[in-house]
């Protein structure tokens, strides 16, 4: 293979602007799949992707294409669209020299278009701006070209127009990929070196990796070593993904291929596979730096399923390198894990995949964002190995008197909205403790607004609220803005004078009364009446911010049965006692297990 005939590219766009549809057309044009309905969105392989209609994992496809009598190898790297998966986007982008920036000619530039455009710019990639869905009667290509000009300074003459659905202009787009995007900067003379951009688990063959070969050549049977531990392995599997596997014997620099070294062969995202002769002889930690934005506890529905769930989490974490997994336990829920995610959609998809791909049923606690604190006292500093501590669970907080400063994660939120909703959007963002940044006009109907927002105010239901406020017309994306000092405190929940650890939360001081009222009201709803009166209090540093009372009540379930049949009475009592097993008891108060899971959800 001649490197000059290789192109590595990706399609980036706002959600639903047509990436998967375009990928399908490209696969058809290059003869990978036959035109027809049954092939729709072949790249969205996972069941969860099919159900949700979104792309979760980046998948690649190597396509053969003849242009001007020359045969080209085009490596299309499909990327997920949602903000939560932006680290997958970043990884795949690193193996590319260019991107097709797809914009719906009907909707125009959206918040995520801005995000992916700046990502491509930051990585010095060639951008092929492309309008999609030009077949729609409401499409307004001229206006969207003007938006691209005003926001990104893109020359309207450079913008391509296609309909991925009808196949219009796709041939020309593929030719533009060849003529505008350069071949990969591959060096054959150097030793073999490949970057792992994705991994997944194969039942029989072990860990399979998607690799971008940076330099040298590789053959099946060759001895290789990992950059992370320098352990030697024999390369057992080598294939092109079209996107089905096509085994090959040899691959060269510039190519994107599947590699595998067998069940004990290892491999993880961010690691490098090297030739044995390569001079790199120092172990280098290669763990990708992923910022976890949302944490949640995951527990087996029943402790007897602990091993099964543990297995499933391990396998899934291998395929989804963006999660962090730590063992956790809770008096109410038993042994489990605290898992870090990139965002709420990521969390949702992870649990859905656990169920669908690994048949593991899990209970999920309310999600929370990580905080940082600065502690004082040599004992604490020693315990936490430093004075700055990342808190992923409010339970880990030390006594308030030992905390010098709290920090919370902020994001820069980008919102593109029709101008008539500017007031409503501003109110929402200010209500969520946001600080406005300068805004800019997209065109005469749309505007781009930016706010610095606390992540905790964004992760729960910001997107849904924004959508309903703007009749679905505003789009939203966010990027990390780091940790900043904040007036935070720990709010405790006390039942009849006894603290319930698992219900404590971290709250901003401007939200104390609001949160306290909400929590106590919800608990009153969720805890059933019992033999004793129950006082529910939300307390911060000794001060009670809200109190609710559940009156005592003798629940005689058999009273209604008028003596009647004794077996029926026994059956009822048995059912009742089984129900009690699912309760956690605090200060003689029985709290249903789901209280711990649901009370902190908004
Ligand atoms: P995510 O993977 O969720 O980011 O979505 P996507 O960008 O891959 O979008 P997808 O290809 O799933 O397309 C979204 C919707 O737009 C689907 O209903 C497509 O049928 C439709 N669509 C895509 N391209 C066109 C087009 O050229 N014309 C029309 N009319 N509809 C299109």
């Amino acid at each position: 293979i001649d490197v000059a005939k290789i192109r590595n590219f990706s399609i980036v766009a706002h959600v639903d602007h047509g990436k998967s549809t375009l990928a399908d057309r490209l696969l058809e044009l290059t003869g990978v799949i036959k035109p027809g309905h049954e092939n729709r969105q072949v790249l969205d392989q996972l069941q969860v992707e099919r159900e949700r209609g979104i792309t979760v994992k980046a998948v690649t496809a190597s396509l053969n294409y003849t242009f001007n009598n020359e045969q080209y190898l085009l490596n299309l790297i499909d990327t997920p669209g949602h903000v939560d998966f932006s680290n997958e986007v970043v990884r795949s982008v690193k193996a590319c020299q260019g991107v097709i920036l797809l914009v719906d000619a009907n909707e125009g530039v959206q918040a995520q278009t801005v995000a992916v455009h700046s990502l491509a710019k930051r990585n010095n990639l060639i951008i092929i701006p492309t309008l999609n869905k030009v077949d729609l009667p409401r499409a307004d290509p001229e206006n969207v070209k003007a938006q691209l000009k005003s926001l990104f300074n893109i020359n309207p003459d450079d913008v391509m127009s296609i309909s991925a659905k009808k196949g219009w202009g796709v041939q020309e787009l593929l030719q533009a990929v060849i003529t505008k995007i350069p071949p990969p900067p591959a060096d054959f003379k150097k030793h073999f070196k490949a970057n792992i951009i994705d991994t997944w688990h194969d039942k029989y063959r072990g860990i399979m990796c998607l690799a971008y070969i940076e330099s040298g050549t590789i053959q099946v049977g060759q001895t290789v070593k990992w950059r992370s531990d320098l352990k030697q392995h024999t390369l057992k599997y080598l294939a092109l993904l079209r996107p089905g596997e096509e085994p090959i014997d040899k691959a060269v620099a510039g190519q994107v291929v599947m590699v595998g070294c067998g069940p004990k062969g290892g491999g993880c995202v961010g690691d490098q596979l090297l030739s044995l002769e390569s001079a790199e002889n120092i172990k280098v930690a290669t763990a990708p730096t992923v910022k976890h934005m949302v944490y949640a506890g995951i527990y087996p529905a029943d402790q007897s399923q602990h091993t099964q769930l543990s297995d499933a989490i391990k396998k899934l974490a291998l395929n989804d390198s963006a999660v962090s997994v730590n063992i956790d336990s809770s008096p109410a829920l038993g042994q489990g894990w605290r898992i870090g995610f990139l965002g709420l959609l990521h969390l949702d998809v992870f649990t859905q995949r656990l169920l669908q791909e690994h048949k593991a049923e899990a209970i999920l606690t309310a999600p929370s964002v990580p905080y940082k604190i600065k502690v004082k006292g040599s004992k604490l500093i020693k315990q936490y190995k430093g004075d700055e501590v990342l808190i992923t669970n409010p339970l880990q907080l030390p006594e308030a008197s030992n905390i010098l400063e709290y920090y919370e994660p902020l994001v820069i939120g980008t919102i593109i909205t029709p101008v008539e909703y500017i007031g409503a959007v501003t109110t929402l963002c200010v209500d969520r403790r946001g600080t406005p940044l300068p805004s800019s006009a997209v065109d005469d109907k749309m505007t781009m607004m930016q706010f610095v927002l606390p992540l905790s105010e964004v992760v729960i239901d910001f997107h849904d609220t924004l959508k309903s406020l703007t009749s679905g017309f505003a789009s939203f994306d966010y990027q990390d803005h780091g940790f900043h000092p904040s007036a935070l405190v720990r709010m405790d929940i006390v039942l009849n004078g006894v603290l319930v650890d698992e219900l404590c939360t971290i709250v901003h001081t401007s939200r104390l009364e609001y949160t306290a009222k909400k929590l106590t009201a919800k608990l009153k709803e969720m805890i059933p009446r019992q033999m004793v009166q129950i006082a529910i209090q939300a307390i911060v540093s000794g001060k009670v911010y809200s109190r609710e009372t559940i009156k005592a009540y003798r629940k005689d379930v058999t009273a209604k049965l008028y003596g009647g049949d004794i077996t029926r009475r026994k059956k009822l009592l048995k059912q009742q006692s089984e129900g009690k097993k699912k309760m956690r008891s605090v200060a003689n108060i029985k709290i249903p297990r789901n209280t711990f899971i649901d009370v902190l959800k908004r």
Side-chain angles (χ1 to χ4, degrees):
I1 284 172
D2 177 4
V3 172
K5 301 282 154 50
I6 298 178
R7 298 290 181 276
N8 297 329
F9 71 106
S10 168
I11 307 169
V12 294
H14 188 77
V15 180
D16 280 347
H17 281 197
K19 285 187 305 291
S20 307
T21 310
L22 174 59
D24 283 356
R25 278 305 87 67
L26 297 182
L27 292 173
E28 283 173 14
L29 256 185
T30 52
V32 175
I33 53 172
K34 289 196 194 79
H37 287 299
E38 66 278 19
N39 294 318
R40 280 194 56 234
Q41 307 186 348
V42 250
L43 289 185
D44 288 354
Q45 284 172 344
L46 308 169
Q47 190 186 347
V48 45
E49 292 187 359
R50 285 202 180 277
E51 280 178 12
R52 288 172 177 246
I54 52 163
T55 310
V56 178
K57 294 278 307 165
V59 188
T60 197
S62 301
L63 316 169
N64 286 332
Y65 186 68
T66 311
F67 177 54
N68 284 347
N69 292 325
E70 304 268 17
Q71 171 128 64
Y72 288 86
L73 180 66
L74 309 179
N75 294 311
L76 161 64
I77 299 171
D78 189 33
T79 54
H82 193 270
V83 278
D84 278 8
F85 303 103
S86 56
N87 89 309
E88 301 257 346
V89 183
V90 173
R91 245 195 285 137
S92 31
V93 152
K94 285 213 188 306
C96 296
Q97 282 69 48
V99 296
I100 296 173
L101 175 70
L102 209 56
V103 185
D104 186 329
N106 185 53
E107 274 198 7
V109 173
Q110 299 288 303
Q112 222 182 320
T113 316
V114 179
V116 290
H117 175 267
S118 80
L119 176 79
K121 275 275 166 207
R122 274 202 305 280
N123 287 280
N124 296 317
L125 301 181
I126 298 291
I127 295 171
I128 304 180
T130 308
L131 304 185
N132 187 28
K133 310 198 189 181
V134 294
D135 59 297
L136 289 176
R138 289 203 302 128
D140 189 353
E142 289 319 308
N143 183 49
V144 182
K145 281 183 195 173
Q147 293 181 347
L148 292 171
K149 169 82 185 150
S150 97
L151 286 174
F152 311 134
N153 199 24
I154 288 174
N155 182 347
D157 296 337
D158 293 340
V159 180
M160 314 220 29
S161 290
I162 66 162
S163 163
K165 193 168 184 174
K166 310 251 180 206
W168 303 346
V170 179
Q171 192 86 253
E172 291 77 2
L173 180 60
L174 214 43
Q175 290 165 6
V177 166
I178 292 172
T179 53
K180 293 192 173 158
I181 298 175
D187 192 339
F188 292 108
K189 294 189 197 85
K190 282 198 192 149
H191 292 303
F192 167 74
K193 183 198 233 177
N195 299 318
I196 305 303
I197 50 179
D198 196 7
T199 61
W200 61 98
H201 192 262
D202 184 294
K203 229 186 207 162
Y204 306 104
R205 300 177 297 176
I207 301 172
M208 308 307 274
C209 308
L210 182 67
Y212 168 61
I213 309 177
E214 204 180 290
S215 61
T217 59
I218 181 81
Q219 251 172 308
V220 177
Q222 196 173 318
T223 309
V224 285
K225 64 186 178 191
W226 288 109
R227 184 90 175 98
S228 55
D229 59 10
L230 300 177
K231 282 200 181 124
Q232 297 183 10
H233 299 277
T234 306
L235 186 80
K236 286 215 173 85
Y237 310 103
L238 185 63
L240 289 179
L241 296 176
R242 289 190 179 276
E245 276 176 42
E246 180 186 306
I248 47 175
D249 296 330
K250 207 179 156 199
V252 301
Q255 278 192 285
V256 178
V257 291
M258 184 201 82
V259 295
C261 300
K264 295 208 165 76
C268 72
V269 170
D271 206 347
Q272 287 179 327
L273 202 57
L274 306 168
S275 73
L276 204 55
E277 303 78 38
S278 133
E280 279 136 330
N281 275 320
I282 307 160
K283 292 179 196 177
V284 174
T286 50
T289 47
V290 174
K291 272 214 169 143
H292 297 109
M293 303 288 231
V294 179
Y295 286 81
I298 289 193
Y299 295 86
D302 186 303
Q303 280 297 324
S304 66
Q305 295 160 6
H306 186 273
T307 325
Q308 194 193 348
L309 184 59
S310 164
D311 240 37
I313 289 177
K314 262 185 220 146
K315 282 196 187 129
L316 198 49
L318 179 76
N319 186 235
D320 184 347
S321 63
V323 297
S324 75
V325 181
N326 285 299
I327 288 174
D328 199 9
S329 74
S330 136
L333 306 170
Q335 294 291 324
W337 297 265
R338 186 129 191 112
I339 304 199
F341 301 94
L342 302 169
L344 281 182
L345 181 71
H346 185 206
L347 179 158
D348 256 21
V349 166
F350 187 87
T351 42
Q352 205 181 335
R353 285 183 68 190
L354 268 182
L355 191 63
Q356 285 174 349
E357 292 165 38
H358 302 281
K359 310 273 170 280
E361 198 157 346
I363 290 175
L364 216 69
T365 66
S368 66
V369 306
Y371 295 95
K372 256 187 198 163
I373 53 167
K374 195 169 209 156
V375 296
K376 63 178 179 193
S378 52
K379 205 171 144 200
L380 272 184
I381 292 175
K382 199 170 160 200
Q383 182 192 333
Y384 290 126
K385 299 186 180 84
D387 65 344
E388 277 208 358
V389 193
L390 189 75
I391 301 288
T392 58
N393 185 340
L395 269 178
Q396 302 164 330
L397 277 182
E399 282 286 314
S401 59
N402 288 320
I403 303 174
L404 284 173
E405 183 93 77
Y406 292 84
Y407 304 85
E408 72 174 322
L410 301 182
V411 295
I412 294 184
T414 301
I415 297 161
I416 291 191
T417 176
V419 285
E420 61 262 39
Y421 298 114
I422 290 178
V425 171
T426 309
T427 309
L428 169 68
C429 291
V430 171
D431 193 43
R432 297 293 178 98
R433 298 194 280 128
T435 320
L437 297 172
S439 57
S440 44
V442 175
D443 55 30
D444 53 356
K445 293 192 202 76
M446 305 290 282
T447 197
M448 179 173 90
M449 305 172 75
Q450 290 195 308
F451 288 84
V452 176
L453 286 156
L455 178 60
S456 62
E457 302 281 346
V458 168
V459 288
I460 304 293
D461 61 355
F462 184 85
H463 204 194
D464 291 343
T465 314
L466 178 74
K467 282 276 173 203
S468 64
L469 274 180
T470 60
S471 313
F473 285 118
S475 61
F476 173 70
D477 198 355
Y478 62 78
Q479 75 190 64
D480 183 31
H481 190 48
F483 282 87
H484 291 260
S486 179
L488 299 170
V489 285
R490 168 177 155 158
M491 180 173 284
D492 288 326
I493 294 294
V494 171
L495 299 184
N496 284 355
V498 178
L499 174 73
V500 190
D501 278 335
E502 297 133 287
L503 293 178
C504 73
T505 52
I506 295 177
V507 185
H508 191 261
T509 47
S510 66
R511 297 282 210 154
L512 291 181
E513 254 138 60
Y514 171 83
T515 313
K517 285 220 168 69
K518 265 204 119 156
L519 276 181
T520 49
K522 204 155 175 194
L523 282 169
K524 183 176 180 177
E525 224 175 78
M526 298 189 79
I527 301 175
R529 280 185 162 192
Q530 307 188 13
M531 303 280 278
V532 292
Q533 173 164 309
I534 306 168
I536 308 167
Q537 292 171 305
I539 301 180
V540 174
S541 319
K543 184 175 169 197
V544 179
Y545 279 83
S546 173
R547 183 196 156 109
E548 292 277 0
T549 311
I550 303 175
K551 291 237 167 67
Y553 171 67
R554 191 167 196 289
K555 197 175 181 188
D556 187 350
V557 286
T558 60
K560 276 188 285 198
L561 294 175
Y562 311 114
D565 178 8
I566 182 80
T567 52
R568 213 169 142 207
R569 182 187 282 249
K570 273 188 179 155
K571 198 172 153 199
L572 253 178
L573 286 171
K574 187 164 169 265
Q575 274 174 0
Q576 197 193 23
S577 76
E578 269 169 10
K580 276 184 188 153
K581 277 191 212 148
K582 291 240 161 76
M583 305 262 191
R584 156 138 152 81
S585 177
V586 178
N588 276 330
I589 301 163
K590 304 270 186 296
I591 311 173
R593 230 162 72 130
N594 65 323
T595 311
F596 298 93
I597 301 153
D598 294 332
V599 79
L600 297 173
K601 291 182 180 162
R602 257 193 222 184

